[in-house]
Amino acid sequence: MGRLKIAILGSTGSIGRQAMEIARMHSEELEIYALAAHSNVEALIEQWRECRAKHICLYEAEAAKRLKAHLRPDELKVHSGMDGLIELATLPEVDIVLNAVSGSIGLLPTLRALEAGKRLALANKEALVIGGHIVIDAWRKGSGELIPVDSEHSAIFQCLLGERSENIKRIILTASGGPFRQKKIEELKMVTPSEALSHPTWRMGPKVTIDSATLMNKGLEIIEAMWLFDTAPEKIEVLIHPQSIIHSLVEFVDGSMKAQLSLPDMRLPIQYALLYPKRLPSPISECELLSIGALTFEPPDVSRFPCLRLAREAAIVGGSMPAVMSAADEIAVKAFLRGEIGFMDIPKLIESVMEEHDAKPNPPLDELLEVDEWAKRVASERVNLIGRK
Ligand code: NDP
Ligand code: MG
């Protein structure tokens, strides 16, 4: 068999760059066939020079034009916009689509890749949070494969190999607790974007790093796990585990628990999703349990981190509510990073948009996209109000 051809959506981001490294390390197995980013022309040209991908997409049309001027048209095809992203996610030559874009933009390429029967290595958790029912439906009906890249879900996926989902008693998602695990609520009101961006155990893109600091990331992951592993939100617990060595656990009905451990390094779950079921040496360092010494656990505190409570509520209400929550979060995080709102305004803003929404059960795709737009608009208006105070 030839090499597996990959399309990396979000190749210039944190997950995308690490995926490039894995493809380089396992070049006898993997070939990069297509690359997509939002507007980072320079980084994409550099990546193209290395891998000579046959297709490139820059979401922004202007950026795509600039890129075209730099490269010869007989060597590659340049795409742009959502049509371009979908084209890359469904190219007949492509075996694996790694969806590593950030935000709700990841939903449509996720759906189309599964419908086209691809292996989808899914890092973009927002797609499942917003449209889990549609994504899972496309997965079940088609011949596509869905392998999670998120480290917790990769861990659960590995724990569930050879097991039946009806035997799951509960899933325990671990969380590092982020940079503010021990901060008091008064201190949290004052934290700055740069403090929130320095995560203790993981190096990630800005959106997921802020989500980790508010614990919204763990909330999104509850919803992600619910869909991936067909489990009710009540059966999914969150435990703070500051060392980030146990990436998650599953407890079965007989009381047996399984966990997956390694040093915190996304290159491992990325490689696992790309090569599954093959296991090959990886670039991550050995996990020396003796030098780690102790693995500790604490309960999460929803009074200091209300985003976790909001996500659980959205998961239980279901329907279009998680999409509203996720859209409001995207806007709130951007506003916090621009210094327009405070850290504790993030959950307040999200809650106020959720309160204004009447959730619809099983919304079809067009309604979900409308809800996403509505929630982003309302959230942006609220940002302006807070900003003027
Ligand atoms: P980054 O912000 O580092 O990267 C985002 C990537 O997506 C960039 O390549 C960016 O391009 C691209 N992008 C953004 N918008 C578009 C668009 N409209 N069209 C095409 N490309 C676009 O994010 P991360 O790598 O940190 O995260 C990606 C996803 O993976 C998120 O959903 C996150 O939650 C999830 N994840 C990330 C983890 C991590 O360790 N980083 C861990 C677990 C999950 P450009 O450079 O041009 O802006
Ligand atoms: Mg995670």
Side-chain angles (χ1 to χ4, degrees):
M1 232 182 76
R3 299 188 298 168
L4 294 167
K5 295 187 171 64
I6 321 175
I8 305 181
L9 312 183
S11 63
T12 53
S14 153
I15 295 283
R17 287 174 195 269
Q18 295 179 81
M20 293 284 293
E21 189 187 334
I22 293 297
R24 201 180 304 136
M25 178 172 178
H26 296 297
S27 58
E28 71 294 352
E29 307 275 337
L30 303 167
E31 174 187 344
I32 294 170
Y33 195 77
L35 295 173
H38 177 260
S39 49
N40 195 338
V41 178
E42 290 68 30
L44 212 44
I45 290 178
E46 202 177 301
Q47 290 186 331
W48 180 81
R49 292 223 160 94
E50 179 199 327
C51 69
R52 306 273 151 173
K54 302 286 184 294
H55 294 260
I56 283 194
C57 173
L58 272 161
Y59 190 82
E60 245 189 42
E62 264 312 302
K65 255 194 213 156
R66 273 203 288 139
L67 181 98
K68 261 188 183 167
H70 278 89
L71 301 172
R72 285 180 31 200
D74 54 326
E75 287 187 295
L76 82 162
K77 203 162 171 227
V78 179
H79 310 255
S80 77
M82 181 49 83
D83 289 348
L85 276 182
I86 291 175
E87 176 103 32
L88 262 60
T90 56
L91 285 168
E93 296 86 352
V94 162
D95 303 293
I96 306 174
V97 176
L98 171 62
N99 186 347
V101 301
S102 170
S104 62
I105 205 80
L107 175 60
L108 279 172
T110 285
L111 273 175
R112 300 297 173 244
L114 287 172
E115 286 164 1
K118 305 298 181 195
R119 164 175 294 190
L120 177 69
L122 185 62
N124 176 263
K125 59 191 81 182
E126 291 91 344
L128 276 173
V129 172
I130 297 166
H133 58 293
I134 306 179
V135 173
I136 298 302
D137 199 45
W139 175 31
R140 296 251 158 83
K141 281 192 186 142
S143 56
E145 269 181 295
L146 177 48
I147 319 269
V149 170
D150 214 348
S151 56
E152 295 76 2
H153 304 76
S154 177
I156 297 161
F157 181 94
Q158 293 177 59
C159 292
L160 289 177
L161 290 178
E163 306 287 354
R164 295 175 174 204
S165 62
E166 66 262 30
N167 288 335
I168 300 174
K169 188 169 163 197
R170 59 184 174 139
I171 286 174
I172 302 173
L173 290 174
T174 51
S176 70
F180 307 140
R181 182 167 62 90
Q182 287 164 323
K183 279 219 188 305
K184 297 194 180 64
I185 200 152
E186 294 71 34
E187 294 172 318
L188 284 175
K189 287 180 188 157
M190 310 305 291
V191 297
T192 63
S194 72
E195 287 172 309
L197 282 172
S198 53
H199 194 276
T201 51
W202 297 100
R203 295 283 157 266
M204 312 175 282
K207 159 80 168 38
V208 59
T209 305
I210 301 303
D211 281 345
S212 298
T214 61
L215 289 197
M216 176 54 92
N217 183 48
K218 220 38 64 176
L220 299 175
E221 290 181 357
I222 293 176
I223 304 174
E224 189 184 5
M226 214 176 96
W227 291 114
L228 282 172
F229 309 115
D230 195 15
T231 304
E234 295 80 3
K235 285 186 171 181
I236 305 172
E237 288 175 24
V238 171
L239 213 51
I240 305 293
H241 167 48
Q243 298 82 19
S244 295
I245 297 295
I246 297 181
H247 298 300
S248 277
L249 308 93
V250 179
E251 183 179 0
F252 297 93
V253 286
D254 58 0
S256 179
M257 281 176 138
K258 282 186 177 179
Q260 184 260 337
L261 289 75
S262 72
L263 290 182
D265 189 324
M266 283 308 294
R267 291 174 298 178
L268 182 55
I270 293 169
Q271 171 174 316
Y272 184 81
L274 297 178
L275 294 178
Y276 172 81
K278 221 177 222 184
R279 287 203 189 256
L280 291 177
S282 88
I284 83 164
S285 311
E286 224 168 275
C287 182
E288 295 280 359
L289 290 175
L290 272 180
S291 66
I292 293 159
L295 300 176
T296 61
F297 307 95
E298 302 160 16
D301 178 358
V302 290
S303 63
R304 286 183 301 135
F305 300 100
C307 284
L308 190 56
R309 168 179 61 77
L310 293 176
R312 205 174 265 293
E313 284 169 15
I316 291 168
V317 172
S320 51
M321 194 54 95
V324 166
M325 179 195 70
S326 181
D329 177 54
E330 268 189 52
I331 298 299
V333 168
K334 279 189 190 145
F336 170 70
L337 284 173
R338 287 195 300 258
E340 292 166 2
I341 64 172
F343 186 75
M344 292 309 282
D345 289 327
I346 297 175
K348 267 195 223 148
L349 193 107
I350 299 169
E351 187 160 27
S352 76
V353 182
M354 285 170 69
E355 275 168 0
E356 224 174 279
H357 179 66
D358 281 327
K360 297 195 188 75
N362 293 315
L365 181 62
D366 52 348
E367 270 181 41
L368 277 176
L369 298 176
E370 275 170 30
V371 156
D372 178 66
E373 222 182 282
W374 171 84
K376 283 183 178 161
R377 197 186 62 241
V378 175
S380 305
E381 287 163 11
R382 300 277 153 88
V383 168
N384 292 335
L385 283 177
I386 297 173
R388 263 190 254 129
K389 265 188 205 163

